[in-house]
Amino acid sequence: PVEAVAGTPFALSLQGTAFRAGDRLRVASSDSPCGTDDTAQDAALARYVCGRGMTPCIASPVINGPPSAIRPDALGMLMHETWYPVSISSPGRYRLCWCVDETWNPVSLESQGRCAGGRQFAVDVGLVHVGGLNGTQSFVCQAFGTCELHVRSSLAFGLQDQILLIAQRSNFMPTRCGRGNVGVRVSLSRVDGINASADSSERSATFHLPQAGQPGDYQ
């Protein structure tokens, strides 16, 4: 499978023959087979990939778009097609489903919607394994008190790692991570170790919050 890190831009590349600009790709849940009505882009797939600081956001071409590049390999026998940038916000496994839009016009950049429905993405071309913080964790802190967050991740922690706590709603509207939200930065205080199981091993670390905010739900 393709290896990626949650929230970090990466390239999705396929190898084969007879690639064309009409090719389309969907990053679906690994629980859903390709070629069904439920074959849709997973909610964790970012529509826009944003950099840091003043770097602008870029529309991800994997959202209903053609490949960013198509090129032959070094021997000229096979071809590679690549979608970049791609970003997935939640760790886990995702299925890659492929479709060819034979009506795509690379001059007018229009098509007749050949790859519009989930059933048309019938070719299973692999998996993406996304590592990172376990997205199912929840923590309880006392309002305005100190709090320690014991966090689990499939990847190793770094000494500069931080967590940004943001309110789940701002001005009565839901918020999402990675959208320039203002919140409370929580720094890593120590790396605790590795929790091994029959299926996998997770690292654990503690992040120290000097003072929790007012009562409410945060992410």
Side-chain angles (χ1 to χ4, degrees):
V2 177
E3 298 289 337
V5 177
T8 301
F10 65 98
L12 277 177
S13 295
L14 303 181
Q15 179 177 288
T17 59
F19 289 148
R20 62 190 72 182
D23 295 350
R24 296 292 184 273
L25 198 62
R26 285 192 177 178
V27 183
S29 167
S30 62
D31 297 330
S32 175
C34 295
T36 72
D37 290 334
D38 296 328
T39 304
Q41 303 283 24
D42 193 272
L45 182 67
R47 301 188 69 86
Y48 292 89
V49 179
C50 301
R52 298 183 178 182
M54 299 301 294
T55 305
C57 296
I58 302 173
S60 179
V62 80
I63 304 293
N64 302 325
S68 308
I70 300 177
R71 59 178 178 80
D73 66 3
L75 299 178
M77 300 178 63
L78 295 174
M79 300 182 69
H80 295 267
E81 63 178 359
T82 302
W83 284 263
Y84 178 84
V86 179
S87 180
I88 300 175
S89 61
S90 298
R93 285 184 175 270
Y94 300 85
R95 191 173 306 281
L96 299 178
C97 302
W98 189 70
C99 174
V100 178
D101 187 348
E102 297 174 344
T103 68
W104 172 256
N105 187 324
V107 177
S108 63
L109 302 181
E110 296 177 344
S111 77
Q112 298 176 19
R114 170 67 177 81
C115 293
R119 289 183 178 272
Q120 295 165 329
F121 288 82
V123 182
D124 188 332
V125 292
L127 293 170
V128 179
H129 178 255
V130 180
L133 294 184
N134 186 317
T136 64
Q137 301 169 91
S138 62
F139 310 93
V140 177
C141 296
Q142 184 71 33
F144 305 110
T146 61
C147 188
E148 287 193 338
L149 309 178
H150 302 285
V151 179
R152 304 188 310 276
S153 172
S154 62
L155 302 176
F157 288 94
L159 296 178
Q160 303 301 317
D161 287 355
Q162 293 184 342
I163 293 174
L164 180 66
L165 292 180
I166 61 174
Q168 285 195 333
R169 288 184 172 272
S170 177
N171 296 325
F172 304 102
M173 296 294 292
T175 57
R176 292 188 63 184
C177 296
R179 296 294 180 88
N181 297 293
V182 176
V184 178
R185 293 181 180 272
V186 187
S187 298
L188 183 144
S189 59
R190 67 176 183 271
V191 176
D192 298 321
I194 298 177
N195 304 316
S197 67
D199 299 327
S200 62
S201 60
E202 285 188 323
R203 281 78 171 173
S204 61
T206 298
F207 290 76
H208 180 71
L209 178 61
Q211 184 179 44
Q214 59 187 355
D217 294 326
Y218 297 81
Q219 60 182 343

